[in-house]
């Protein structure tokens, strides 16, 4: 989460987090709505709990464009990753209302990033500093992945729990995982065809 903040020039005050990690109690029938997004234990994992990171799942929607890209001026980018053009965003927030994952974030306040924390390697549709009054979201680190690098969150994960790859490549690790592991997506019933999968390691 904090690797994403640093890489993508997210505001430190007020804080913006494109990834949110929910803490949930173990047990049958747990619902994401019951999760605690504000947990602060001295150590993780806490006994009897597990953790669910949530971010933009790059869903495809049931029509041509994802739900979030239908109502507002910012549209899908050619690689199928939805991005926001911060110069065109008028701050109407219809895209936020349309996103069933709560994955978009609005800059209510003026974003603030300490000068020495600024990532100067930016992409115009990704991690360049944003003004107040626009929406932003995970771009799958467009400034990295366009150069063949892993997203910051995947690179930072100390246990390799995050995998990133080309779903269209039948020989990719990501395809292997999806075809051989137990996999789930959030809110499958909405038929948004998310491209963010959760898999069981065993
Ligand atoms: S892919 Fe990049 S922008 Fe998206 S959550 Fe991971 S670090 Fe943040």
């Amino acid at each position: 989460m904090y690797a994403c903040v640093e890489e993508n020039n997210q505001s430190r005050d007020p804080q913006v987090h494109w990834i949110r990690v929910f803490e949930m109690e173990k047990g049958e029938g747990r619902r994401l709505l019951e999760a605690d997004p504000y947990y602060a234990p001295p150590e993780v994992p806490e006994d009897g709990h597990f953790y669910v990171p949530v971010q933009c799942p790059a869903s495809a929607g049931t029509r041509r464009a994802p739900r979030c890209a239908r109502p507002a001026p910012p549209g899908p980018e050619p690689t199928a990753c939805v991005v926001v053009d911060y110069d065109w965003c008028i701050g109407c927030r219809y895209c936020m209302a349309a996103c069933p994952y709560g994955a978009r974030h609005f800059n209510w306040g003026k974003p603030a990033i300490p000068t020495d924390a600024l990532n100067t390697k930016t992409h115009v549709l990704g991690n360049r500093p944003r003004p107040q009054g626009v929406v932003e979201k995970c771009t799958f680190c467009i400034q990295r992945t366009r150069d063949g690098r892993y997203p910051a969150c995947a690179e930072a994960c100390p246990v390799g729990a995050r995998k990133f790859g080309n779903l269209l490549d039948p020989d990719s690790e990501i395809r292997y995982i999806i075809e051989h592991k137990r996999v789930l997506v959030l809110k499958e019933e909405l038929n948004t065809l998310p491209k963010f999968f959760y898999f069981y390691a065993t």
Side-chain angles (χ1 to χ4, degrees):
M1 189 166 98
Y2 288 104
C4 178
V5 168
E6 288 174 17
E7 169 67 26
N8 290 289
N9 288 321
Q10 284 153 44
S11 177
R12 312 306 204 269
D13 182 21
Q15 287 190 13
V16 174
H17 292 164
W18 293 354
I19 303 177
R20 290 173 301 155
V21 182
F22 295 139
E23 183 181 72
M24 297 184 69
E25 284 180 32
K26 286 183 180 170
E28 294 289 320
R30 296 287 178 220
R31 302 175 67 218
L32 206 53
L33 285 173
E34 299 162 359
D36 178 5
Y38 302 115
Y39 68 92
E43 285 181 14
V44 290
E46 198 171 28
D47 273 353
H49 293 77
F50 67 101
Y51 300 85
V52 183
V54 177
Q55 64 200 66
C56 172
S59 58
T62 48
R63 293 183 223 153
R64 195 155 167 252
R67 287 181 180 215
C68 61
R70 284 180 220 153
E77 187 266 349
T79 54
C81 171
V82 176
V83 293
V84 177
D85 186 327
Y86 311 118
D87 291 336
W88 278 91
C89 178
I90 57 174
C92 67
R93 295 183 286 126
Y94 274 113
C95 59
M96 293 175 70
C99 174
Y101 301 98
R104 288 174 169 250
H105 307 273
F106 184 65
N107 285 288
W108 290 98
K110 188 173 180 205
I113 309 164
T115 310
D116 59 356
L118 200 64
N119 178 9
T120 54
K121 291 188 181 162
T122 59
H123 189 291
V124 68
L125 295 173
N127 63 340
R128 71 172 158 114
R130 280 74 68 185
Q132 184 175 2
V134 302
V135 167
E136 58 184 69
K137 61 178 277 299
C138 164
T139 65
F140 280 4
C141 282
I142 189 172
Q143 69 281 359
R144 287 172 151 252
T145 48
R146 281 283 182 87
D147 287 341
R149 300 173 64 202
Y150 282 114
C153 55
E155 200 173 273
C157 178
V159 294
R162 285 179 174 252
K163 310 290 184 190
F164 180 84
N166 182 0
L167 286 173
L168 300 179
D169 177 358
D171 298 323
S172 63
E173 182 186 25
I174 202 84
R175 277 284 291 274
Y176 179 87
I177 289 169
I178 287 168
E179 286 164 14
H180 293 87
K181 304 277 186 185
R182 267 204 302 153
V183 174
L184 62 91
V185 295
L186 293 182
K187 299 192 176 181
E188 185 179 18
E189 69 281 7
L190 297 181
N191 199 24
T192 55
L193 308 179
K195 299 298 177 294
F196 189 91
F197 303 87
Y198 297 82
F199 70 95
Y200 292 81
T202 52

